[in-house]
Amino acid sequence: VYYPAIIHHHHDKNFGNAILSPWPLRDPEKILLPNSDPDSKQDRIAVRATVLIDDHELAAYSVHLEHLWMLPGRSDSQLEVLTTAIAKDTHPIIVGGDFNSWSPGSINILDDLFGEIGLWRVSREVGPTLETYGGIPLTVDHIFASDFFESQAGVWQQTDISDHAAVWAILNFDEANYHE
């Protein structure tokens, strides 16, 4: 499932979010997030789909927030729209993507907000996913989940597709908390 958010100002091509799955996807949805980047005027979105795995359904979200460059308070509205949408889901949930939250304080805010709606950061121990132009490593990409137990999580650094490293997690359904 792919939805474009904008025509990118650097290469004049669609730029957006996707959910890739070896399992069937249904009920795709594009979630418009408020407040464009004040400099580039780029809009941000989240994408949602229901993933069908055997007899289980889960809600998957692909996220790209503009948190890093937003004025205080403006990025909070993106998180509010996102967490409000996620809180409505009745299936187990996986949320992953570029949150652009790099400071320990901003990551703690994410942990708190997602914790309030029953999700935990499964990527909490994986380390940096982006190196700034000055060589400073930052952890800006995260995976949150509910109703799963973690098997493994990590960062795949060997990529030339993006300036970010890929965050990955292997999760198993927590049968005790799963509700069909």
Side-chain angles (χ1 to χ4, degrees), residues 102-146:
W102 55 273
S103 70
S106 63
I107 294 171
N108 288 339
I109 289 170
L110 288 176
D111 286 341
D112 290 346
L113 288 173
F114 282 95
E116 288 174 12
I117 59 171
L119 281 75
W120 53 281
R121 186 165 43 101
V122 300
S123 60
R124 67 193 168 282
E125 302 292 331
V126 302
T129 59
L130 175 69
E131 189 171 297
T132 65
Y133 296 112
I136 300 168
L138 302 174
T139 303
V140 297
D141 304 276
H142 308 282
I143 300 173
F144 292 85
S146 72

Side-chain angles (χ1 to χ4, degrees), residues 61-136:
Y61 290 81
S62 172
V63 176
H64 191 185
L65 300 182
E66 193 57 59
H67 196 76
L68 188 60
W69 307 117
M70 296 289 258
L71 299 171
R74 292 176 59 93
S75 59
D76 296 344
S77 62
Q78 288 186 348
L79 287 169
E80 182 179 330
V81 167
L82 179 63
T83 55
T84 298
I86 292 168
K88 295 176 185 174
D89 259 305
T90 58
H91 302 303
I93 299 167
I94 297 174
V95 181
D98 180 357
F99 288 83
N100 276 316
S101 297
W102 55 273
S103 70
S106 63
I107 294 171
N108 288 339
I109 289 170
L110 288 176
D111 286 341
D112 290 346
L113 288 173
F114 282 95
E116 288 174 12
I117 59 171
L119 281 75
W120 53 281
R121 186 165 43 101
V122 300
S123 60
R124 67 193 168 282
E125 302 292 331
V126 302
T129 59
L130 175 69
E131 189 171 297
T132 65
Y133 296 112
I136 300 168

Side-chain angles (χ1 to χ4, degrees), residues 15-82:
F15 180 76
N17 297 39
I19 297 172
L20 306 175
S21 171
W23 301 284
L25 299 172
R26 69 169 201 213
D27 307 323
E29 180 182 354
K30 179 179 182 178
I31 302 167
L32 302 174
L33 301 175
N35 298 320
S36 299
D37 176 299
D39 181 44
S40 69
K41 308 298 184 225
Q42 292 184 37
D43 292 324
R44 297 298 181 175
I45 65 169
V47 172
R48 183 212 176 274
T50 301
V51 183
L52 307 171
I53 304 173
D54 299 324
D55 294 331
H56 300 292
E57 294 183 349
L58 66 97
Y61 290 81
S62 172
V63 176
H64 191 185
L65 300 182
E66 193 57 59
H67 196 76
L68 188 60
W69 307 117
M70 296 289 258
L71 299 171
R74 292 176 59 93
S75 59
D76 296 344
S77 62
Q78 288 186 348
L79 287 169
E80 182 179 330
V81 167
L82 179 63

